[in-house]
Every structure is written in structure tokens, then in C-alpha cells.
Amino acid sequence: MSWETVVGLEVHVQLRTRTKMFCGCRTTFGDPPNTNVCPTCLGLPGALPVPNAQAVRLGARAALALGCSVRGRSVFARKNYFYPDLPKGYQISQFDQPLAAGGRVALESPERGRIEVGITRLHLEEDAGKLVHDRFPAKTAVDLNRAGIPLAEIVSEPDMRSPAEARAYLVALRQILVYAGVSDCSMEQGSLRVDANISVRRPGESRLGTKTEVKNLNSFANVERALEAERVRQIALLESGERVSQVTLLFNAGSGQVKPLRSKEESHDYRYFPDPDLPPLSLSAEWIADQRAELPELPDARRARLEIAFGIPAYDARVLTSEVALADYFESVAAVGVDPKTAANWVMGDVMSSYNERGTFPVSAERLAGLIALVRDGVLSHQAAKRVYAELATSPGEEPKAVAERLGLVQVSDQGALAGWVDEVLAAHRSEVERYRGGEAKLMGFFVGQVMKRSKGKADPKAVQPVLQEKLLSR
Ligand SMILES: [Zn+2]
């Protein structure tokens, strides 16, 4: 019998601020351990937290970008638990009155086409510190630079039905957050971390099965692998007549296995209560409206606009908008008069691979447009243009035409030169000439190929054919 998988994700995103959530310490990644700390984020007695206005603004923008409604009043709460990387003994978070609720993320599911995943809530919280296990032999160190860094926690509805869908959701979510400018979402630097909830049930069942939670996944690929491993584990348990127990799991990327960490806490285990040091967060309707007005164009809107404004296929628009920089570059190429579909092909091909390699665009939009014009005018073959592009990428300043000439790639459509090559080819292949004259018209391709070879690719194939035809028929 088959099983249906149900997945919901909790994503922690580091908000792009210069200072921490409740103090003035810097948020720079990679500083020496315990250098960005103060009495507040160390949790020393008497230190008072003050909310970071920029973090609140970015949190609200993230919420609005996800279609959530931002509440005029939200409350910071203490989430109490004891852990070595949490010197205060509690984390400041939001509980029953979060910053925002009720949004959605649209995405392309590999199995179900276009779907929407609901966002239950978005709340603000501070990060904990970091335990360092590999610094000293047989000792654990703690680095509190991360303690107090502002996070938005984005909780989805259990709307995903497969590990691949969970991954697609993360890709779409990340894209929105990066477009909105609220986070760099760098997984390497830990600014996007995922906890995944998963359960299985029989298809058609409306009640959810018992769920488990896989904690702290640090790459999209690992989210997918961990969920797949956990789905297999749960199904095996149920099919052998056992029960799934509600546990928290860790994923070992090396072995590809999930291991129980502890039995899952319920919210009452944290004894949440409103933080007495922080008044409720109060946001006016006008302020919220301003944040909404300042949102930049988001991925879905841009995708739709590119499709309509430039008449390019939906697939192209999706690839081009996968990153803001890519879409910007495409638009600047189209803006200098290049045919949009041709511009899209170039950007999705050679431009994207050089961008992925270097993180920049080595060839300006104007120079690319110049190169594309050479192909359009028959000066360069498409193949030759790709070589010129690679050369332009490493020689800033040189013009496409000059590079093409330096490399000897300019196509020859000069009749005299073409006639010379054609004569040589016909002289070298007398029997094929006879067969062609005897009615084997398909040999034309062969002759064109031979001329291209003899000219070392420089002959313009469109100009070759009439010359060949004329000479073949005139003898
Ligand atoms: Zn501090």
C-alpha cells in the first residue's frame, strides 16, 4: 500500500543588520570568537535589551514579501531552557503574539505543477551562541559572537507532499527573501537554517500522522536527503506494525542517516512568558503601509513582467529571474536593442556559466550586444561568437570585432574567396560531383561541410550554398 508524505518547514533567516537584535554588538561573520559581545548579549545581570529598529523593519518586509499580515502589536517572550550556548538561560523570541501571520509561497512542484504553500507565521527572535567542538582536544568551547543576532523564523503550513517539494519551497522562499533585501540567505555562513517536520499517512486520510522533526539542516540538498531518509524510516516502522514516536532527529550527511537527538519538546516545556524588560512591539498602520510601499519588485512579478514585456517563454523568464543580477543583466542587454529571445539565449548560456564561475559579468551588456550584432549580420558564426565571448571575458576593453579579427574568426562571404574553396573541394571529390549531377541532391550537405573544413570554419555557410549550386550545375 502507498503512503502520503506531509512536510512542514521552519526556516531561520538571519536578518541583514549591522548590529544585534537587542544590543549594539556587530554581526560580522567570521570575527575572532567572543569579540562581538557585551553585557546584554552575554546575559549579565542588570543589562537591558533594546530592540533593533532595522531588524524590526527587515522582519516586517520579509513578512510582507511573503504575503503575511503584519500585526500592529506583537510581544517579545522569553523561551526558557538551559543550554551551554545560551548564557541567559532563555532566548528572546515571540510566541503567541508573533510579528506576522498568514502568508504564502508559490512554487513549481516537481510532481504537482504550480502549488502554494501557506505561511503560518513569521516571528522575530535572537540567535543563540555556538558550541565549538573541534578547537581543543577533549574540550568544548563556546563562541558567543552569534548570541543575539536577529533572526526571522518562518513557519510553513504542512502543505508539502515530498522531499523534492520541500526543496522547491526553500528555493522559492530564499529567492523572495533575497529579492526583498532582508537577508543574504547564505547557507555556508549559517544565515539560513532549516528544521523540517515530517509525517506519513495513508492517501485520503485527513488526520496527520505523528510527526518527527529533523533539526538544523544546513543545505537544500541535505533537507531533501534527510526527509527522504526519515520518510523511509517512518514507513518501515508503520509497515512492521510499530508506532512513530514524536522525536527530534539529527541528520548525518556522511552516513545519510537520521539519529534521535531527544524526545520532542512541547511549547509548555519552555515556560514562555512575556519578557518583562521589553514592552510590546507597536507598529502603526502607516508604518506598515510604508514598508509595503518600499518593497522592491518580487520574483513572481518580475517573471510575469519579463514574459509579457519581452515576449520570452515562461521557462526563460523563470531561469532569468532566479537571481536579481541575472535578470538585471538580461534587461540591460535587451535595452540596447538586442532581440529579447536572442538575449535570453545568450544570458542563459555562456553568460550564466561565466557568472556562476566568477560571481560577476565580465562582458558588459553593450559589448555582448555588439557581439550578437556580428552574428546577426553574418560576420560571425554562432560557434565562433562563443569563442569570441570567452576571449572578451578575459580581455576587458577589447571590442568584439577586434577580437574576432585577431582570432581569425570573421566569416568570409567574399565571392572570390568562396569560389576558390569551392573549386578545390569539387576537384578533390570528382565521384561525389558525378553522383550529385546524377540526382543525389543530399550530397549538398557534404560539399558545404567540406568547404567549411577547407576554410577552417571561416566560410559563411549561407553564402557557400549558392556558389556550390552554381558551379555544380554549370559544368
Ligand atoms: Zn552585545
CSV table of all heavy atoms in Angstrom, one decimal, residues 384-411:
chain,number,residue,atom,x,y,z
A,384,ALA,N,31.7,30.6,-33.6
A,384,ALA,CA,32.8,31.5,-33.5
A,384,ALA,C,32.5,32.6,-32.4
A,384,ALA,O,33.4,33.0,-31.7
A,384,ALA,CB,33.1,32.1,-34.8
A,385,ALA,N,31.2,33.0,-32.4
A,385,ALA,CA,30.8,34.0,-31.4
A,385,ALA,C,31.0,33.5,-30.0
A,385,ALA,O,31.4,34.3,-29.1
A,385,ALA,CB,29.4,34.4,-31.6
A,386,LYS,N,30.8,32.2,-29.7
A,386,LYS,CA,31.0,31.7,-28.4
A,386,LYS,C,32.5,31.8,-28.0
A,386,LYS,O,32.8,32.1,-26.9
A,386,LYS,CB,30.5,30.2,-28.3
A,386,LYS,CG,29.0,30.1,-28.3
A,386,LYS,CD,28.5,28.7,-28.5
A,386,LYS,CE,28.6,27.8,-27.3
A,386,LYS,NZ,27.5,28.1,-26.4
A,387,ARG,N,33.4,31.6,-29.0
A,387,ARG,CA,34.8,31.7,-28.7
A,387,ARG,C,35.2,33.1,-28.5
A,387,ARG,O,36.0,33.4,-27.6
A,387,ARG,CB,35.7,31.1,-29.9
A,387,ARG,CG,35.7,29.6,-29.9
A,387,ARG,CD,36.6,29.1,-31.0
A,387,ARG,NE,38.0,29.6,-30.9
A,387,ARG,CZ,38.9,29.5,-31.9
A,387,ARG,NH1,38.5,28.9,-33.0
A,387,ARG,NH2,40.1,30.0,-31.8
A,388,VAL,N,34.6,34.0,-29.2
A,388,VAL,CA,34.9,35.5,-29.0
A,388,VAL,C,34.4,35.9,-27.6
A,388,VAL,O,35.1,36.6,-26.9
A,388,VAL,CB,34.2,36.3,-30.1
A,388,VAL,CG1,34.4,37.8,-29.8
A,388,VAL,CG2,34.8,36.0,-31.5
A,389,TYR,N,33.3,35.3,-27.2
A,389,TYR,CA,32.7,35.7,-25.9
A,389,TYR,C,33.7,35.3,-24.8
A,389,TYR,O,34.0,36.1,-23.9
A,389,TYR,CB,31.4,35.0,-25.6
A,389,TYR,CG,30.9,35.3,-24.2
A,389,TYR,CD1,30.1,36.5,-24.0
A,389,TYR,CD2,31.1,34.5,-23.1
A,389,TYR,CE1,29.7,36.8,-22.7
A,389,TYR,CE2,30.7,34.8,-21.9
A,389,TYR,CZ,30.0,36.0,-21.7
A,389,TYR,OH,29.6,36.3,-20.4
A,390,ALA,N,34.3,34.0,-24.9
A,390,ALA,CA,35.2,33.6,-23.9
A,390,ALA,C,36.4,34.5,-23.9
A,390,ALA,O,37.0,34.7,-22.8
A,390,ALA,CB,35.6,32.1,-24.2
A,391,GLU,N,36.9,34.9,-25.0
A,391,GLU,CA,38.0,35.8,-25.1
A,391,GLU,C,37.7,37.2,-24.5
A,391,GLU,O,38.5,37.8,-23.7
A,391,GLU,CB,38.4,36.0,-26.6
A,391,GLU,CG,39.8,36.6,-26.8
A,391,GLU,CD,40.9,35.7,-26.4
A,391,GLU,OE1,40.7,34.5,-26.2
A,391,GLU,OE2,42.1,36.2,-26.4
A,392,LEU,N,36.5,37.7,-24.8
A,392,LEU,CA,36.1,39.0,-24.2
A,392,LEU,C,36.0,39.0,-22.7
A,392,LEU,O,36.3,39.9,-22.0
A,392,LEU,CB,34.7,39.4,-24.7
A,392,LEU,CG,34.5,39.8,-26.2
A,392,LEU,CD1,33.1,40.0,-26.6
A,392,LEU,CD2,35.3,41.2,-26.4
A,393,ALA,N,35.7,37.8,-22.2
A,393,ALA,CA,35.5,37.7,-20.7
A,393,ALA,C,36.9,37.8,-20.0
A,393,ALA,O,36.9,38.2,-18.9
A,393,ALA,CB,34.9,36.3,-20.4
A,394,THR,N,38.0,37.6,-20.8
A,394,THR,CA,39.3,37.7,-20.1
A,394,THR,C,40.0,38.9,-20.6
A,394,THR,O,41.1,39.2,-20.1
A,394,THR,CB,40.1,36.4,-20.4
A,394,THR,OG1,40.2,36.2,-21.8
A,394,THR,CG2,39.5,35.2,-19.7
A,395,SER,N,39.5,39.6,-21.6
A,395,SER,CA,40.3,40.8,-22.1
A,395,SER,C,39.3,42.0,-22.1
A,395,SER,O,38.7,42.3,-23.1
A,395,SER,CB,40.8,40.6,-23.5
A,395,SER,OG,39.8,40.4,-24.4
A,396,PRO,N,39.2,42.6,-20.9
A,396,PRO,CA,38.3,43.8,-20.8
A,396,PRO,C,38.8,44.9,-21.7
A,396,PRO,O,40.0,45.1,-21.8
A,396,PRO,CB,38.4,44.1,-19.3
A,396,PRO,CG,39.6,43.5,-18.8
A,396,PRO,CD,39.9,42.3,-19.6
A,397,GLY,N,37.8,45.5,-22.3
A,397,GLY,CA,38.2,46.7,-23.1
A,397,GLY,C,38.3,46.4,-24.6
A,397,GLY,O,37.9,47.3,-25.4
A,398,GLU,N,38.7,45.2,-25.0
A,398,GLU,CA,38.8,44.9,-26.4
A,398,GLU,C,37.3,44.8,-27.0
A,398,GLU,O,36.4,44.3,-26.4
A,398,GLU,CB,39.5,43.6,-26.6
A,398,GLU,CG,40.4,43.7,-27.9
A,398,GLU,CD,41.2,42.4,-28.1
A,398,GLU,OE1,41.4,41.6,-27.1
A,398,GLU,OE2,41.7,42.2,-29.2
A,399,GLU,N,37.2,45.3,-28.2
A,399,GLU,CA,35.9,45.2,-28.9
A,399,GLU,C,35.7,43.9,-29.6
A,399,GLU,O,36.6,43.3,-30.1
A,399,GLU,CB,35.8,46.4,-29.9
A,399,GLU,CG,35.5,47.7,-29.3
A,399,GLU,CD,34.4,47.8,-28.3
A,399,GLU,OE1,33.3,47.3,-28.6
A,399,GLU,OE2,34.6,48.2,-27.1
A,400,PRO,N,34.4,43.4,-29.6
A,400,PRO,CA,34.1,42.1,-30.2
A,400,PRO,C,34.7,41.9,-31.6
A,400,PRO,O,35.3,40.9,-31.9
A,400,PRO,CB,32.6,42.1,-30.2
A,400,PRO,CG,32.2,43.0,-29.2
A,400,PRO,CD,33.2,44.0,-29.1
A,401,LYS,N,34.5,42.9,-32.5
A,401,LYS,CA,35.0,42.9,-33.8
A,401,LYS,C,36.5,42.7,-33.9
A,401,LYS,O,37.0,41.8,-34.6
A,401,LYS,CB,34.6,44.2,-34.6
A,401,LYS,CG,34.9,44.2,-36.1
A,401,LYS,CD,33.9,43.4,-36.9
A,401,LYS,CE,34.3,43.3,-38.3
A,401,LYS,NZ,34.2,44.6,-39.1
A,402,ALA,N,37.2,43.4,-33.0
A,402,ALA,CA,38.7,43.3,-33.0
A,402,ALA,C,39.1,41.9,-32.5
A,402,ALA,O,40.1,41.4,-33.1
A,402,ALA,CB,39.3,44.4,-32.0
A,403,VAL,N,38.5,41.4,-31.5
A,403,VAL,CA,38.8,40.1,-31.0
A,403,VAL,C,38.6,39.0,-32.1
A,403,VAL,O,39.4,38.2,-32.4
A,403,VAL,CB,38.0,39.7,-29.8
A,403,VAL,CG1,38.2,38.2,-29.4
A,403,VAL,CG2,38.3,40.6,-28.6
A,404,ALA,N,37.4,39.1,-32.8
A,404,ALA,CA,37.1,38.2,-33.9
A,404,ALA,C,38.2,38.2,-35.0
A,404,ALA,O,38.6,37.2,-35.5
A,404,ALA,CB,35.7,38.5,-34.5
A,405,GLU,N,38.6,39.4,-35.3
A,405,GLU,CA,39.7,39.5,-36.3
A,405,GLU,C,41.0,39.0,-35.9
A,405,GLU,O,41.7,38.3,-36.6
A,405,GLU,CB,39.8,41.0,-36.8
A,405,GLU,CG,38.7,41.4,-37.8
A,405,GLU,CD,38.6,42.9,-38.0
A,405,GLU,OE1,39.3,43.7,-37.3
A,405,GLU,OE2,37.7,43.3,-38.8
A,406,ARG,N,41.3,39.3,-34.6
A,406,ARG,CA,42.6,38.8,-34.0
A,406,ARG,C,42.6,37.3,-34.0
A,406,ARG,O,43.6,36.7,-34.3
A,406,ARG,CB,42.8,39.4,-32.6
A,406,ARG,CG,44.0,38.9,-31.9
A,406,ARG,CD,44.4,39.8,-30.7
A,406,ARG,NE,43.4,39.9,-29.7
A,406,ARG,CZ,43.1,38.9,-28.8
A,406,ARG,NH1,43.8,37.8,-28.9
A,406,ARG,NH2,42.2,39.0,-27.9
A,407,LEU,N,41.5,36.7,-33.8
A,407,LEU,CA,41.4,35.2,-33.7
A,407,LEU,C,41.2,34.6,-35.1
A,407,LEU,O,41.1,33.4,-35.2
A,407,LEU,CB,40.3,34.7,-32.8
A,407,LEU,CG,40.5,35.1,-31.3
A,407,LEU,CD1,39.3,34.6,-30.5
A,407,LEU,CD2,41.8,34.6,-30.7
A,408,GLY,N,41.0,35.4,-36.1
A,408,GLY,CA,40.8,34.9,-37.5
A,408,GLY,C,39.5,34.2,-37.6
A,408,GLY,O,39.4,33.2,-38.3
A,409,LEU,N,38.4,34.7,-36.9
A,409,LEU,CA,37.1,34.0,-36.9
A,409,LEU,C,36.1,34.7,-37.8
A,409,LEU,O,35.0,34.2,-37.9
A,409,LEU,CB,36.6,34.0,-35.5
A,409,LEU,CG,37.4,33.1,-34.5
A,409,LEU,CD1,36.9,33.3,-33.1
A,409,LEU,CD2,37.3,31.6,-34.9
A,410,VAL,N,36.5,35.8,-38.4
A,410,VAL,CA,35.5,36.5,-39.2
A,410,VAL,C,35.1,35.7,-40.4
A,410,VAL,O,35.9,35.2,-41.1
A,410,VAL,CB,36.0,37.9,-39.7
A,410,VAL,CG1,35.1,38.6,-40.6
A,410,VAL,CG2,36.3,38.8,-38.4
A,411,GLN,N,33.8,35.5,-40.6
A,411,GLN,CA,33.3,34.7,-41.7
A,411,GLN,C,33.6,35.3,-43.0
A,411,GLN,O,33.5,36.6,-43.2
A,411,GLN,CB,31.8,34.5,-41.6
A,411,GLN,CG,31.4,33.5,-40.5
A,411,GLN,CD,29.9,33.2,-40.6
A,411,GLN,OE1,29.6,32.0,-40.5
A,411,GLN,NE2,29.1,34.1,-40.8
